[in-house]
Amino acid sequence: MNNKSKYTLAILLALFIATGCSRGEVTPSGSPTATATPPVSLGSPTPSSNPSPSPLTTPKPSTVPTASPSTSAVPPKSGAIQVVAKPESITVLVNKQNSLPSSYEPTDLVYPDIPFIFAEKNEKRKMRKAAASAIEKLFAGADKDGIHLSGVSAYRSYATQKSLFQRYVLKDGEEKAKMYSAVPGTSEHETGLAIDVTGSDGKCAAEDCFAGTKEAKWLEAHVAEYGFIIRYPKGKTTITGYQYEPWHIRYVGIDVAKEMVDKSLTMEEYYNAVPVTK
C-alpha cells in the first residue's frame, strides 16, 4: 500500500470514530430528559395542592352554628311540648310549645316593694330579683306620671298553676281555658319574670275591661323603658296562642325589650319560633 492509500485510509478511520462518538453523546442527553419525567409526575399530585382546598372549606362550617340556635329553638311540628334547656335565662321562651321543667323553681325569688290588690304575703307577690327591681322602678315611674298601679299576680309554682288550670277547665272547658290560661309548666308566671298589673282601685284586674284604661295605655307606652314587654299584644293571638292581655307584662331586660317593642315583635317572632295557634 502506497503512502496515498495509507493517508486515505487514515482519514476514513478518523471519520468513522468521530461519527460513532457523536451518536454515543445523543443517548445520555436523552436519558436525563426521560429521568426528569418522573419528578414531574410526582410533582403533579403534590400533597401541597390537595390540602389547599381543605383550609378553604374549613372556615365554612363556622357559619352553620349561627343558624342552629334559631332552628334548634323551633319545636317539633307534631306540636309536642319540649322542655327548655335553660329555664333560668332572663330571656327564656316559655309558651304552649316550650315548657319549664316541672321541678324548676327560681332560686332568687324576692318580694318586690310594690302594692298588690290583696293583703296576703304569699308566692303571688314574688318575682326574681332582677324583675323585682325593675318592677319597683316601673311603678315609681308610673306614679310620677300620675298613674297608680297594683300587682295582681306574679310568681306561681308548678303546683299552683296546675290547680289554677284545672279550675278553669272545669269552668269553661279545656279548649277555651287554653286561650287564657297555661298548661302547668308552660306559664310565664312560673319563670318569676312575669306579673299581671292593674289600676290601684283593683277594677278590671286581669279582665278584658282593663284594655283602653289609662293604666293600660301607660304600660303600652312605657314598659320597655324598664325592661318589660306586653307579652300577649293585640292582634298576635295566632302567634302567641293567647288572647290580648294588656295587663300581663314580662321582664326580658331593657335592650331586648326596646328592640322587640320598636319592631313590634312577640317573643315567638323575636326567636323565629313557629307560631302557636292553640
Side-chain angles (χ1 to χ4, degrees):
M1 184 179 295
N2 56 28
N3 291 335
K4 186 176 181 179
S5 298
K6 290 180 180 180
Y7 180 74
T8 301
L9 183 59
I11 291 174
L12 290 174
L13 182 61
L15 288 172
F16 175 81
I17 293 173
T19 305
C21 290
S22 63
R23 285 178 182 172
E25 290 174 357
V26 174
T27 310
S29 66
S31 62
T33 57
T35 55
T37 318
V40 174
S41 63
L42 290 173
S44 57
T46 23
S48 59
S49 61
N50 284 341
S52 59
S54 57
L56 292 175
T57 54
T58 317
K60 290 183 180 178
S62 64
T63 61
V64 177
T66 59
S68 60
S70 59
T71 54
S72 64
V74 177
K77 291 183 178 180
S78 62
I81 298 175
Q82 62 179 9
V83 179
V84 297
K86 296 182 179 180
E88 72 285 352
S89 171
I90 291 294
T91 55
V92 62
L93 174 62
V94 176
N95 59 17
K96 294 183 178 183
Q97 295 171 325
N98 294 274
S99 171
L100 294 165
S102 59
S103 60
Y104 176 69
E105 182 178 342
T107 58
D108 58 347
L109 291 170
V110 297
Y111 291 102
D113 186 15
I114 60 172
F116 278 80
I117 61 172
F118 55 88
E120 300 82 14
K121 194 172 184 179
N122 56 30
E123 71 172 21
K124 291 198 300 181
R125 285 179 175 265
K126 292 182 177 181
M127 296 187 77
R128 288 185 59 184
K129 192 172 182 179
S133 176
I135 200 65
E136 290 173 353
K137 293 174 183 177
L138 184 150
F139 271 48
D143 281 338
K144 288 181 180 179
D145 291 342
I147 302 296
H148 307 295
L149 303 171
S150 288
V152 177
S153 179
Y155 173 70
R156 293 179 205 150
S157 65
Y158 182 92
T160 298
Q161 184 63 34
K162 182 178 180 180
S163 175
L164 186 65
F165 181 73
Q166 288 175 339
R167 190 166 76 227
Y168 289 141
V169 170
L170 289 174
K171 177 187 174 185
D172 295 321
E174 186 173 348
E175 186 175 351
K176 188 174 180 181
K178 283 183 176 181
M179 288 301 296
Y180 61 85
S181 183
V183 172
T186 66
S187 171
E188 283 213 323
H189 287 281
E190 294 173 66
T191 66
L193 300 169
I195 182 172
D196 296 334
V197 298
T198 190
S200 58
D201 58 8
K203 294 179 180 180
C204 297
E207 297 288 343
D208 292 343
C209 59
F210 182 69
T213 63
K214 61 182 180 180
E215 291 85 3
K217 291 178 180 178
W218 187 91
L219 286 172
E220 187 172 1
H222 297 284
V223 285
E225 299 169 18
Y226 302 93
F228 289 88
I229 58 170
I230 304 294
R231 180 64 178 91
Y232 308 117
K234 192 173 184 179
K236 299 279 190 174
T237 300
T238 57
I239 296 174
T240 65
Y242 292 103
Q243 63 186 36
Y244 174 43
E245 293 188 2
W247 60 83
H248 181 103
I249 61 176
R250 157 70 191 273
Y251 181 73
V252 292
I254 293 176
D255 291 340
V256 174
K258 285 185 175 180
E259 183 179 359
M260 290 178 65
V261 171
D262 288 345
K263 296 179 179 179
S264 299
L265 299 175
T266 62
M267 289 194 76
E268 284 76 16
E269 292 168 309
Y270 185 78
Y271 286 113
N272 294 318
V274 294
V276 180
T277 56
K278 291 183 180 180

